[in-house]
Amino acid sequence: ALSDKRLQELRAERKPLDNEGEFYRGKPLPPKLRAQIEANETAVEAQKEATATQQAELERVNRIYDTELARLQRLWAGAA
């Protein structure tokens, strides 16, 4: 949930940058604006990577516990 919230914040930060970029359509962006846009894009990508890493870790942990649960259920049922 925190990752999704951060992505929403980054999108909200991007809107004014895009609006300002509209004034320079067909012209090169000023270095400061270009740097802000690139920083925002980098932050979005980093957040997406962090979200993917968290999801992979969650799946890994769930797989471990599902395997352990299956083993315990066999033991509880009296299997050798």
Side-chain angles (χ1 to χ4, degrees):
L2 291 175
S3 295
D4 290 336
K5 183 179 178 185
R6 178 65 180 141
L7 280 173
Q8 289 174 355
E9 291 171 359
L10 289 169
R11 286 187 196 114
E13 290 174 11
R14 178 66 186 252
K15 277 189 175 190
L17 298 174
D18 286 340
N19 290 339
E20 188 176 341
E22 289 293 319
F23 292 115
Y24 298 99
R25 181 168 276 172
K27 300 179 211 170
L29 294 174
K32 181 179 177 184
L33 178 60
R34 187 173 352 107
Q36 289 174 326
I37 290 172
E38 289 173 0
N40 182 272
E41 289 172 353
T42 302
V44 167
E45 287 303 313
Q47 191 62 49
K48 286 180 180 179
E49 284 182 32
T51 301
T53 301
Q54 289 173 346
Q55 185 63 34
E57 180 65 11
L58 179 64
E59 290 170 6
R60 185 187 72 80
V61 169
N62 281 335
R63 228 179 4 258
I64 289 170
Y65 281 107
D66 289 343
T67 302
E68 184 67 13
L69 177 62
R71 187 181 77 79
L72 288 173
Q73 286 174 334
R74 285 193 309 270
L75 289 173
W76 293 332

